[in-house]
Amino acid sequence: MAKKKKVTVFDVINITAMVLIGLIMLLPILNLASKAFSSEGHVIAGNVLFWPKEFQLDTVKYVLATPEFGNAFLVTVTITICGTAAAMLLTVLAAYPLSKPYLKGRKFFLYIFVFIMLFSAGMVPNYILYRSLHLTNTLFALMFPGMLSSFNLFLIKNYFESLPEVIEEAARIDGASNSRIFFSVVLPMSLPVLATVTLFYAVGYWSSYFSGVMYITDAKLKPLQQYMFDLITEATSLQDASGSYGDIDKAMNVSGENVRAATIVVSTIPILCVYPFLQKYFVKGITIGSVKG
């Protein structure tokens, strides 16, 4: 029979610290969700902590019923799916040859990717570049900035380097071409890191706000996060200087604090639904992909 592991002081401290960190991350989320579904009076009075009081759905309905919400949601879904697919294609195609020591100029290209990971041209040159290429007010302006991450590239490259070389050699002896080895052997063995990096890219695109502010002025192309910011600003302005609402029907059970909480909840739930499907790959992809340098 296997011996029971002795619980040490370090284990107790480690578990306690992890539980406290988990609570620190979870409690603000519970507070926001509670405010989103609580009545306006309790939220303004500061009575809502981690459980809704006078449960209501008016705030969420107000957020979802705005005509521009569906368009902004569709824009964000489009750039998330298309941008993530394009980003994964570029990252994987760049990482695989860089994982081979015999690639000519390998160190030079690695230095280039390290350099662009540490330094960027800046906000103004980027805007001038996008405007000169006529990419402003297009979906490409929302996808291109996050299409290749050096950090994600190095994660995948390091994972490829950790794969046994003998498997590729065996496939090559059997007559498989480089492309056949890559798609039929390497990629199926790399699902953990691919799922992890896919999640990184998807969350990045879903949460992208700055690209919309920089390159988008057309209301029909605003991403969800930019739309949410505009909605919060509009909700805050519902209340006039005297402290009363100009439109009672529209403002019923809706305050600036309610809407701020509801917008965060509404914009977070869709991307959270992706995590359960990729969770089993996440830890393995991070740990194995970050071991070798």
Side-chain angles (χ1 to χ4, degrees), residues 151-199:
F151 175 79
N152 293 337
L153 183 144
F154 284 117
L155 273 182
I156 298 179
K157 178 192 78 71
N158 293 341
Y159 192 97
F160 286 159
E161 290 176 348
S162 70
L163 298 177
E165 188 67 26
V166 293
I167 297 179
E168 294 188 40
E169 293 177 356
R172 192 170 288 108
I173 292 174
D174 290 338
S177 62
N178 290 331
S179 59
R180 180 66 181 273
I181 294 173
F182 176 67
F183 288 105
S184 301
V185 178
V186 176
L187 291 186
M189 296 173 59
S190 306
L191 287 181
V193 73
L194 295 180
T196 301
V197 174
T198 298
L199 185 61

mmCIF file of all heavy atoms in Angstrom, residues 151-199:
data_model
loop_
_atom_site.group_PDB
_atom_site.id
_atom_site.type_symbol
_atom_site.label_atom_id
_atom_site.label_comp_id
_atom_site.label_asym_id
_atom_site.label_seq_id
_atom_site.Cartn_x
_atom_site.Cartn_y
_atom_site.Cartn_z
ATOM 1 N N PHE A 151 5.522 36.371 -27.585
ATOM 2 C CA PHE A 151 5.424 35.506 -26.405
ATOM 3 C C PHE A 151 4.766 34.180 -26.754
ATOM 4 O O PHE A 151 5.258 33.098 -26.388
ATOM 5 C CB PHE A 151 4.643 36.228 -25.308
ATOM 6 C CG PHE A 151 4.380 35.379 -24.094
ATOM 7 C CD1 PHE A 151 5.370 35.174 -23.151
ATOM 8 C CD2 PHE A 151 3.140 34.797 -23.896
ATOM 9 C CE1 PHE A 151 5.136 34.390 -22.030
ATOM 10 C CE2 PHE A 151 2.889 34.009 -22.786
ATOM 11 C CZ PHE A 151 3.890 33.804 -21.844
ATOM 12 N N ASN A 152 3.638 34.236 -27.474
ATOM 13 C CA ASN A 152 2.954 33.013 -27.876
ATOM 14 C C ASN A 152 3.799 32.193 -28.849
ATOM 15 O O ASN A 152 3.794 30.958 -28.816
ATOM 16 C CB ASN A 152 1.608 33.357 -28.524
ATOM 17 C CG ASN A 152 0.637 33.958 -27.526
ATOM 18 O OD1 ASN A 152 0.756 33.749 -26.320
ATOM 19 N ND2 ASN A 152 -0.323 34.717 -28.021
ATOM 20 N N LEU A 153 4.523 32.889 -29.708
ATOM 21 C CA LEU A 153 5.400 32.194 -30.651
ATOM 22 C C LEU A 153 6.464 31.390 -29.910
ATOM 23 O O LEU A 153 6.739 30.232 -30.248
ATOM 24 C CB LEU A 153 6.037 33.199 -31.599
ATOM 25 C CG LEU A 153 6.932 32.631 -32.705
ATOM 26 C CD1 LEU A 153 6.788 33.441 -33.989
ATOM 27 C CD2 LEU A 153 8.407 32.616 -32.290
ATOM 28 N N PHE A 154 7.065 31.977 -28.880
ATOM 29 C CA PHE A 154 8.101 31.270 -28.129
ATOM 30 C C PHE A 154 7.522 30.116 -27.322
ATOM 31 O O PHE A 154 8.183 29.086 -27.139
ATOM 32 C CB PHE A 154 8.853 32.236 -27.215
ATOM 33 C CG PHE A 154 9.835 33.099 -27.949
ATOM 34 C CD1 PHE A 154 9.690 34.472 -27.984
ATOM 35 C CD2 PHE A 154 10.912 32.537 -28.617
ATOM 36 C CE1 PHE A 154 10.596 35.274 -28.672
ATOM 37 C CE2 PHE A 154 11.820 33.325 -29.304
ATOM 38 C CZ PHE A 154 11.668 34.690 -29.329
ATOM 39 N N LEU A 155 6.296 30.265 -26.845
ATOM 40 C CA LEU A 155 5.646 29.156 -26.154
ATOM 41 C C LEU A 155 5.507 27.949 -27.077
ATOM 42 O O LEU A 155 5.835 26.813 -26.704
ATOM 43 C CB LEU A 155 4.266 29.585 -25.653
ATOM 44 C CG LEU A 155 4.151 30.248 -24.285
ATOM 45 C CD1 LEU A 155 2.703 30.543 -23.969
ATOM 46 C CD2 LEU A 155 4.757 29.377 -23.201
ATOM 47 N N ILE A 156 5.004 28.191 -28.286
ATOM 48 C CA ILE A 156 4.805 27.090 -29.231
ATOM 49 C C ILE A 156 6.150 26.542 -29.704
ATOM 50 O O ILE A 156 6.330 25.324 -29.838
ATOM 51 C CB ILE A 156 3.944 27.554 -30.420
ATOM 52 C CG1 ILE A 156 2.555 27.977 -29.925
ATOM 53 C CG2 ILE A 156 3.819 26.458 -31.464
ATOM 54 C CD1 ILE A 156 1.640 28.470 -31.011
ATOM 55 N N LYS A 157 7.101 27.431 -29.950
ATOM 56 C CA LYS A 157 8.430 26.981 -30.400
ATOM 57 C C LYS A 157 9.070 26.062 -29.361
ATOM 58 O O LYS A 157 9.616 24.998 -29.687
ATOM 59 C CB LYS A 157 9.332 28.184 -30.656
ATOM 60 C CG LYS A 157 10.750 27.827 -31.089
ATOM 61 C CD LYS A 157 11.668 29.026 -31.057
ATOM 62 C CE LYS A 157 12.124 29.365 -29.667
ATOM 63 N NZ LYS A 157 13.091 28.351 -29.115
ATOM 64 N N ASN A 158 9.011 26.463 -28.107
ATOM 65 C CA ASN A 158 9.596 25.650 -27.044
ATOM 66 C C ASN A 158 8.887 24.304 -26.910
ATOM 67 O O ASN A 158 9.516 23.285 -26.601
ATOM 68 C CB ASN A 158 9.544 26.404 -25.715
ATOM 69 C CG ASN A 158 10.446 27.620 -25.715
ATOM 70 O OD1 ASN A 158 11.355 27.733 -26.525
ATOM 71 N ND2 ASN A 158 10.179 28.550 -24.810
ATOM 72 N N TYR A 159 7.588 24.301 -27.139
ATOM 73 C CA TYR A 159 6.858 23.036 -27.077
ATOM 74 C C TYR A 159 7.285 22.126 -28.229
ATOM 75 O O TYR A 159 7.479 20.920 -28.031
ATOM 76 C CB TYR A 159 5.351 23.296 -27.141
ATOM 77 C CG TYR A 159 4.519 22.089 -26.787
ATOM 78 C CD1 TYR A 159 4.025 21.928 -25.495
ATOM 79 C CD2 TYR A 159 4.221 21.111 -27.733
ATOM 80 C CE1 TYR A 159 3.260 20.827 -25.158
ATOM 81 C CE2 TYR A 159 3.460 20.005 -27.402
ATOM 82 C CZ TYR A 159 2.977 19.869 -26.111
ATOM 83 O OH TYR A 159 2.238 18.770 -25.779
ATOM 84 N N PHE A 160 7.420 22.677 -29.426
ATOM 85 C CA PHE A 160 7.886 21.876 -30.564
ATOM 86 C C PHE A 160 9.263 21.286 -30.281
ATOM 87 O O PHE A 160 9.556 20.144 -30.663
ATOM 88 C CB PHE A 160 7.939 22.733 -31.827
ATOM 89 C CG PHE A 160 6.589 23.053 -32.415
ATOM 90 C CD1 PHE A 160 6.430 24.141 -33.272
ATOM 91 C CD2 PHE A 160 5.489 22.282 -32.122
ATOM 92 C CE1 PHE A 160 5.191 24.428 -33.816
ATOM 93 C CE2 PHE A 160 4.232 22.570 -32.663
ATOM 94 C CZ PHE A 160 4.091 23.650 -33.510
ATOM 95 N N GLU A 161 10.123 22.043 -29.628
ATOM 96 C CA GLU A 161 11.466 21.565 -29.319
ATOM 97 C C GLU A 161 11.448 20.428 -28.305
ATOM 98 O O GLU A 161 12.382 19.614 -28.277
ATOM 99 C CB GLU A 161 12.322 22.718 -28.789
ATOM 100 C CG GLU A 161 12.681 23.750 -29.841
ATOM 101 C CD GLU A 161 13.452 24.930 -29.262
ATOM 102 O OE1 GLU A 161 13.500 25.038 -28.011
ATOM 103 O OE2 GLU A 161 13.991 25.719 -30.038
ATOM 104 N N SER A 162 10.397 20.377 -27.478
ATOM 105 C CA SER A 162 10.304 19.324 -26.464
ATOM 106 C C SER A 162 9.795 18.006 -27.036
ATOM 107 O O SER A 162 9.873 16.977 -26.365
ATOM 108 C CB SER A 162 9.393 19.776 -25.321
ATOM 109 O OG SER A 162 8.040 19.842 -25.750
ATOM 110 N N LEU A 163 9.263 18.017 -28.270
ATOM 111 C CA LEU A 163 8.761 16.783 -28.870
ATOM 112 C C LEU A 163 9.925 15.885 -29.280
ATOM 113 O O LEU A 163 10.959 16.363 -29.739
ATOM 114 C CB LEU A 163 7.892 17.111 -30.092
ATOM 115 C CG LEU A 163 6.626 17.940 -29.829
ATOM 116 C CD1 LEU A 163 5.923 18.240 -31.140
ATOM 117 C CD2 LEU A 163 5.690 17.220 -28.863
ATOM 118 N N PRO A 164 9.777 14.568 -29.145
ATOM 119 C CA PRO A 164 10.859 13.648 -29.528
ATOM 120 C C PRO A 164 11.183 13.748 -31.023
ATOM 121 O O PRO A 164 10.297 13.603 -31.869
ATOM 122 C CB PRO A 164 10.296 12.270 -29.176
ATOM 123 C CG PRO A 164 9.196 12.538 -28.190
ATOM 124 C CD PRO A 164 8.625 13.866 -28.560
ATOM 125 N N GLU A 165 12.428 13.964 -31.330
ATOM 126 C CA GLU A 165 12.851 14.091 -32.721
ATOM 127 C C GLU A 165 12.724 12.777 -33.479
ATOM 128 O O GLU A 165 12.544 12.761 -34.699
ATOM 129 C CB GLU A 165 14.303 14.580 -32.767
ATOM 130 C CG GLU A 165 14.809 14.928 -34.152
ATOM 131 C CD GLU A 165 14.123 16.148 -34.747
ATOM 132 O OE1 GLU A 165 13.647 16.985 -33.956
ATOM 133 O OE2 GLU A 165 14.064 16.241 -35.991
ATOM 134 N N VAL A 166 12.803 11.657 -32.739
ATOM 135 C CA VAL A 166 12.768 10.340 -33.399
ATOM 136 C C VAL A 166 11.430 10.092 -34.087
ATOM 137 O O VAL A 166 11.364 9.337 -35.059
ATOM 138 C CB VAL A 166 13.059 9.223 -32.369
ATOM 139 C CG1 VAL A 166 14.487 9.304 -31.865
ATOM 140 C CG2 VAL A 166 12.074 9.290 -31.200
ATOM 141 N N ILE A 167 10.363 10.707 -33.590
ATOM 142 C CA ILE A 167 9.050 10.511 -34.212
ATOM 143 C C ILE A 167 9.028 11.137 -35.604
ATOM 144 O O ILE A 167 8.530 10.532 -36.566
ATOM 145 C CB ILE A 167 7.944 11.112 -33.322
ATOM 146 C CG1 ILE A 167 7.902 10.389 -31.974
ATOM 147 C CG2 ILE A 167 6.592 11.026 -34.021
ATOM 148 C CD1 ILE A 167 6.865 10.927 -31.023
ATOM 149 N N GLU A 168 9.576 12.333 -35.726
ATOM 150 C CA GLU A 168 9.648 12.962 -37.034
ATOM 151 C C GLU A 168 10.581 12.193 -37.963
ATOM 152 O O GLU A 168 10.310 12.059 -39.161
ATOM 153 C CB GLU A 168 10.119 14.411 -36.889
ATOM 154 C CG GLU A 168 9.138 15.307 -36.152
ATOM 155 C CD GLU A 168 9.556 16.772 -36.189
ATOM 156 O OE1 GLU A 168 10.034 17.229 -37.252
ATOM 157 O OE2 GLU A 168 9.424 17.465 -35.163
ATOM 158 N N GLU A 169 11.674 11.701 -37.415
ATOM 159 C CA GLU A 169 12.606 10.925 -38.240
ATOM 160 C C GLU A 169 11.961 9.639 -38.745
ATOM 161 O O GLU A 169 12.170 9.238 -39.900
ATOM 162 C CB GLU A 169 13.860 10.599 -37.423
ATOM 163 C CG GLU A 169 14.700 11.832 -37.087
ATOM 164 C CD GLU A 169 15.888 11.488 -36.213
ATOM 165 O OE1 GLU A 169 16.008 10.305 -35.814
ATOM 166 O OE2 GLU A 169 16.703 12.390 -35.933
ATOM 167 N N ALA A 170 11.170 8.988 -37.900
ATOM 168 C CA ALA A 170 10.482 7.769 -38.322
ATOM 169 C C ALA A 170 9.486 8.070 -39.434
ATOM 170 O O ALA A 170 9.376 7.315 -40.413
ATOM 171 C CB ALA A 170 9.770 7.145 -37.125
ATOM 172 N N ALA A 171 8.773 9.177 -39.312
ATOM 173 C CA ALA A 171 7.814 9.557 -40.362
ATOM 174 C C ALA A 171 8.534 9.905 -41.649
ATOM 175 O O ALA A 171 8.066 9.584 -42.749
ATOM 176 C CB ALA A 171 6.984 10.748 -39.882
ATOM 177 N N ARG A 172 9.703 10.533 -41.527
ATOM 178 C CA ARG A 172 10.479 10.886 -42.720
ATOM 179 C C ARG A 172 11.013 9.633 -43.414
ATOM 180 O O ARG A 172 11.045 9.559 -44.648
ATOM 181 C CB ARG A 172 11.613 11.833 -42.324
ATOM 182 C CG ARG A 172 12.303 12.491 -43.507
ATOM 183 C CD ARG A 172 13.259 13.607 -43.062
ATOM 184 N NE ARG A 172 12.521 14.781 -42.590
ATOM 185 C CZ ARG A 172 12.431 15.150 -41.337
ATOM 186 N NH1 ARG A 172 13.020 14.432 -40.387
ATOM 187 N NH2 ARG A 172 11.742 16.228 -40.994
ATOM 188 N N ILE A 173 11.410 8.622 -42.655
ATOM 189 C CA ILE A 173 11.873 7.363 -43.228
ATOM 190 C C ILE A 173 10.741 6.658 -43.966
ATOM 191 O O ILE A 173 10.951 6.013 -45.005
ATOM 192 C CB ILE A 173 12.449 6.453 -42.117
ATOM 193 C CG1 ILE A 173 13.745 7.053 -41.565
ATOM 194 C CG2 ILE A 173 12.713 5.037 -42.639
ATOM 195 C CD1 ILE A 173 14.305 6.311 -40.382
ATOM 196 N N ASP A 174 9.529 6.809 -43.456
ATOM 197 C CA ASP A 174 8.354 6.206 -44.106
ATOM 198 C C ASP A 174 7.932 6.953 -45.358
ATOM 199 O O ASP A 174 6.957 6.546 -46.022
ATOM 200 C CB ASP A 174 7.184 6.151 -43.134
ATOM 201 C CG ASP A 174 7.411 5.143 -42.014
ATOM 202 O OD1 ASP A 174 8.242 4.233 -42.217
ATOM 203 O OD2 ASP A 174 6.780 5.272 -40.951
ATOM 204 N N GLY A 175 8.617 8.044 -45.671
ATOM 205 C CA GLY A 175 8.333 8.762 -46.900
ATOM 206 C C GLY A 175 7.456 9.986 -46.746
ATOM 207 O O GLY A 175 7.035 10.575 -47.747
ATOM 208 N N ALA A 176 7.185 10.394 -45.530
ATOM 209 C CA ALA A 176 6.340 11.575 -45.312
ATOM 210 C C ALA A 176 7.114 12.845 -45.625
ATOM 211 O O ALA A 176 8.296 12.968 -45.296
ATOM 212 C CB ALA A 176 5.836 11.607 -43.876
ATOM 213 N N SER A 177 6.445 13.787 -46.273
ATOM 214 C CA SER A 177 7.060 15.075 -46.575
ATOM 215 C C SER A 177 7.049 15.957 -45.342
ATOM 216 O O SER A 177 6.426 15.629 -44.322
ATOM 217 C CB SER A 177 6.301 15.760 -47.709
ATOM 218 O OG SER A 177 4.957 16.023 -47.325
ATOM 219 N N ASN A 178 7.738 17.090 -45.433
ATOM 220 C CA ASN A 178 7.786 18.007 -44.283
ATOM 221 C C ASN A 178 6.400 18.506 -43.897
ATOM 222 O O ASN A 178 6.067 18.602 -42.718
ATOM 223 C CB ASN A 178 8.703 19.189 -44.600
ATOM 224 C CG ASN A 178 10.165 18.786 -44.660
ATOM 225 O OD1 ASN A 178 10.580 17.840 -43.994
ATOM 226 N ND2 ASN A 178 10.951 19.494 -45.457
ATOM 227 N N SER A 179 5.598 18.837 -44.908
ATOM 228 C CA SER A 179 4.246 19.323 -44.617
ATOM 229 C C SER A 179 3.386 18.216 -44.006
ATOM 230 O O SER A 179 2.584 18.470 -43.096
ATOM 231 C CB SER A 179 3.589 19.858 -45.891
ATOM 232 O OG SER A 179 3.523 18.849 -46.886
ATOM 233 N N ARG A 180 3.553 16.979 -44.492
ATOM 234 C CA ARG A 180 2.784 15.856 -43.938
ATOM 235 C C ARG A 180 3.194 15.598 -42.491
ATOM 236 O O ARG A 180 2.344 15.340 -41.627
ATOM 237 C CB ARG A 180 3.019 14.607 -44.784
ATOM 238 C CG ARG A 180 2.272 13.365 -44.306
ATOM 239 C CD ARG A 180 0.773 13.545 -44.462
ATOM 240 N NE ARG A 180 0.043 12.399 -43.987
ATOM 241 C CZ ARG A 180 -0.243 11.316 -44.731
ATOM 242 N NH1 ARG A 180 0.180 11.264 -45.998
ATOM 243 N NH2 ARG A 180 -0.934 10.318 -44.232
ATOM 244 N N ILE A 181 4.474 15.677 -42.195
ATOM 245 C CA ILE A 181 4.949 15.502 -40.823
ATOM 246 C C ILE A 181 4.378 16.588 -39.920
ATOM 247 O O ILE A 181 3.941 16.320 -38.792
ATOM 248 C CB ILE A 181 6.491 15.522 -40.784
ATOM 249 C CG1 ILE A 181 7.060 14.303 -41.517
ATOM 250 C CG2 ILE A 181 6.999 15.577 -39.351
ATOM 251 C CD1 ILE A 181 8.556 14.332 -41.666
ATOM 252 N N PHE A 182 4.370 17.810 -40.427
ATOM 253 C CA PHE A 182 3.900 18.934 -39.624
ATOM 254 C C PHE A 182 2.421 18.790 -39.285
ATOM 255 O O PHE A 182 2.016 18.918 -38.117
ATOM 256 C CB PHE A 182 4.154 20.232 -40.379
ATOM 257 C CG PHE A 182 3.632 21.460 -39.684
ATOM 258 C CD1 PHE A 182 4.185 21.875 -38.489
ATOM 259 C CD2 PHE A 182 2.591 22.189 -40.230
ATOM 260 C CE1 PHE A 182 3.708 23.001 -37.841
ATOM 261 C CE2 PHE A 182 2.108 23.313 -39.595
ATOM 262 C CZ PHE A 182 2.665 23.723 -38.395
ATOM 263 N N PHE A 183 1.586 18.532 -40.306
ATOM 264 C CA PHE A 183 0.145 18.501 -40.084
ATOM 265 C C PHE A 183 -0.346 17.182 -39.484
ATOM 266 O O PHE A 183 -1.333 17.182 -38.727
ATOM 267 C CB PHE A 183 -0.595 18.757 -41.404
ATOM 268 C CG PHE A 183 -0.503 20.177 -41.880
ATOM 269 C CD1 PHE A 183 0.323 20.516 -42.945
ATOM 270 C CD2 PHE A 183 -1.221 21.175 -41.251
ATOM 271 C CE1 PHE A 183 0.416 21.832 -43.385
ATOM 272 C CE2 PHE A 183 -1.132 22.498 -41.686
ATOM 273 C CZ PHE A 183 -0.312 22.825 -42.750
ATOM 274 N N SER A 184 0.297 16.069 -39.788
ATOM 275 C CA SER A 184 -0.192 14.766 -39.340
ATOM 276 C C SER A 184 0.503 14.246 -38.086
ATOM 277 O O SER A 184 -0.034 13.359 -37.417
ATOM 278 C CB SER A 184 -0.033 13.726 -40.469
ATOM 279 O OG SER A 184 -0.748 14.109 -41.621
ATOM 280 N N VAL A 185 1.689 14.761 -37.784
ATOM 281 C CA VAL A 185 2.442 14.249 -36.642
ATOM 282 C C VAL A 185 2.620 15.322 -35.565
ATOM 283 O O VAL A 185 2.257 15.126 -34.398
ATOM 284 C CB VAL A 185 3.830 13.725 -37.085
ATOM 285 C CG1 VAL A 185 4.617 13.242 -35.876
ATOM 286 C CG2 VAL A 185 3.670 12.605 -38.102
ATOM 287 N N VAL A 186 3.172 16.470 -35.957
ATOM 288 C CA VAL A 186 3.530 17.497 -34.968
ATOM 289 C C VAL A 186 2.293 18.153 -34.363
ATOM 290 O O VAL A 186 2.181 18.265 -33.127
ATOM 291 C CB VAL A 186 4.453 18.551 -35.610
ATOM 292 C CG1 VAL A 186 4.739 19.675 -34.624
ATOM 293 C CG2 VAL A 186 5.753 17.905 -36.064
ATOM 294 N N LEU A 187 1.374 18.613 -35.200
ATOM 295 C CA LEU A 187 0.203 19.324 -34.673
ATOM 296 C C LEU A 187 -0.674 18.464 -33.765
ATOM 297 O O LEU A 187 -1.100 18.938 -32.698
ATOM 298 C CB LEU A 187 -0.620 19.904 -35.827
ATOM 299 C CG LEU A 187 0.015 21.067 -36.600
ATOM 300 C CD1 LEU A 187 -0.969 21.628 -37.607
ATOM 301 C CD2 LEU A 187 0.493 22.171 -35.652
ATOM 302 N N PRO A 188 -0.980 17.199 -34.134
ATOM 303 C CA PRO A 188 -1.781 16.379 -33.199
ATOM 304 C C PRO A 188 -1.099 16.161 -31.850
ATOM 305 O O PRO A 188 -1.783 16.009 -30.831
ATOM 306 C CB PRO A 188 -1.938 15.050 -33.950
ATOM 307 C CG PRO A 188 -1.812 15.418 -35.393
ATOM 308 C CD PRO A 188 -0.805 16.515 -35.428
ATOM 309 N N MET A 189 0.234 16.156 -31.825
ATOM 310 C CA MET A 189 0.957 15.981 -30.563
ATOM 311 C C MET A 189 1.041 17.280 -29.767
ATOM 312 O O MET A 189 1.471 17.266 -28.605
ATOM 313 C CB MET A 189 2.373 15.464 -30.840
ATOM 314 C CG MET A 189 2.427 14.080 -31.466
ATOM 315 S SD MET A 189 4.114 13.636 -31.941
ATOM 316 C CE MET A 189 4.949 13.735 -30.354
ATOM 317 N N SER A 190 0.658 18.377 -30.359
ATOM 318 C CA SER A 190 0.835 19.696 -29.731
ATOM 319 C C SER A 190 -0.483 20.318 -29.301
ATOM 320 O O SER A 190 -0.554 21.530 -29.098
ATOM 321 C CB SER A 190 1.552 20.640 -30.707
ATOM 322 O OG SER A 190 2.754 20.083 -31.169
ATOM 323 N N LEU A 191 -1.528 19.519 -29.132
ATOM 324 C CA LEU A 191 -2.831 20.063 -28.772
ATOM 325 C C LEU A 191 -2.819 20.875 -27.471
ATOM 326 O O LEU A 191 -3.493 21.912 -27.396
ATOM 327 C CB LEU A 191 -3.862 18.931 -28.671
ATOM 328 C CG LEU A 191 -4.319 18.313 -29.993
ATOM 329 C CD1 LEU A 191 -5.349 17.222 -29.736
ATOM 330 C CD2 LEU A 191 -4.907 19.380 -30.908
ATOM 331 N N PRO A 192 -2.070 20.475 -26.437
ATOM 332 C CA PRO A 192 -2.087 21.286 -25.203
ATOM 333 C C PRO A 192 -1.632 22.723 -25.419
ATOM 334 O O PRO A 192 -2.313 23.664 -24.998
ATOM 335 C CB PRO A 192 -1.128 20.522 -24.273
ATOM 336 C CG PRO A 192 -1.183 19.126 -24.747
ATOM 337 C CD PRO A 192 -1.321 19.211 -26.239
ATOM 338 N N VAL A 193 -0.487 22.909 -26.067
ATOM 339 C CA VAL A 193 0.010 24.273 -26.252
ATOM 340 C C VAL A 193 -0.829 25.021 -27.282
ATOM 341 O O VAL A 193 -1.026 26.241 -27.156
ATOM 342 C CB VAL A 193 1.501 24.260 -26.655
ATOM 343 C CG1 VAL A 193 1.690 23.803 -28.099
ATOM 344 C CG2 VAL A 193 2.123 25.635 -26.438
ATOM 345 N N LEU A 194 -1.350 24.339 -28.283
ATOM 346 C CA LEU A 194 -2.191 25.003 -29.282
ATOM 347 C C LEU A 194 -3.488 25.502 -28.643
ATOM 348 O O LEU A 194 -3.949 26.610 -28.940
ATOM 349 C CB LEU A 194 -2.497 24.055 -30.442
ATOM 350 C CG LEU A 194 -1.303 23.607 -31.289
ATOM 351 C CD1 LEU A 194 -1.761 22.661 -32.396
ATOM 352 C CD2 LEU A 194 -0.574 24.801 -31.894
ATOM 353 N N ALA A 195 -4.080 24.686 -27.784
ATOM 354 C CA ALA A 195 -5.307 25.106 -27.104
ATOM 355 C C ALA A 195 -5.037 26.281 -26.176
ATOM 356 O O ALA A 195 -5.835 27.223 -26.082
ATOM 357 C CB ALA A 195 -5.891 23.933 -26.320
ATOM 358 N N THR A 196 -3.894 26.244 -25.493
ATOM 359 C CA THR A 196 -3.546 27.326 -24.575
ATOM 360 C C THR A 196 -3.355 28.643 -25.306
ATOM 361 O O THR A 196 -3.896 29.685 -24.912
ATOM 362 C CB THR A 196 -2.256 26.968 -23.810
ATOM 363 O OG1 THR A 196 -2.458 25.756 -23.081
ATOM 364 C CG2 THR A 196 -1.879 28.083 -22.848
ATOM 365 N N VAL A 197 -2.580 28.610 -26.380
ATOM 366 C CA VAL A 197 -2.304 29.833 -27.129
ATOM 367 C C VAL A 197 -3.568 30.329 -27.833
ATOM 368 O O VAL A 197 -3.791 31.535 -27.950
ATOM 369 C CB VAL A 197 -1.154 29.602 -28.125
ATOM 370 C CG1 VAL A 197 -0.950 30.823 -29.006
ATOM 371 C CG2 VAL A 197 0.135 29.280 -27.373
ATOM 372 N N THR A 198 -4.397 29.399 -28.303
ATOM 373 C CA THR A 198 -5.681 29.797 -28.900
ATOM 374 C C THR A 198 -6.510 30.571 -27.892
ATOM 375 O O THR A 198 -7.130 31.589 -28.226
ATOM 376 C CB THR A 198 -6.460 28.561 -29.373
ATOM 377 O OG1 THR A 198 -5.713 27.883 -30.392
ATOM 378 C CG2 THR A 198 -7.819 28.951 -29.934
ATOM 379 N N LEU A 199 -6.516 30.107 -26.651
ATOM 380 C CA LEU A 199 -7.249 30.817 -25.606
ATOM 381 C C LEU A 199 -6.658 32.195 -25.360
ATOM 382 O O LEU A 199 -7.393 33.178 -25.187
ATOM 383 C CB LEU A 199 -7.221 29.991 -24.320
ATOM 384 C CG LEU A 199 -8.044 30.530 -23.151
ATOM 385 C CD1 LEU A 199 -9.517 30.604 -23.511
ATOM 386 C CD2 LEU A 199 -7.840 29.657 -21.920
#
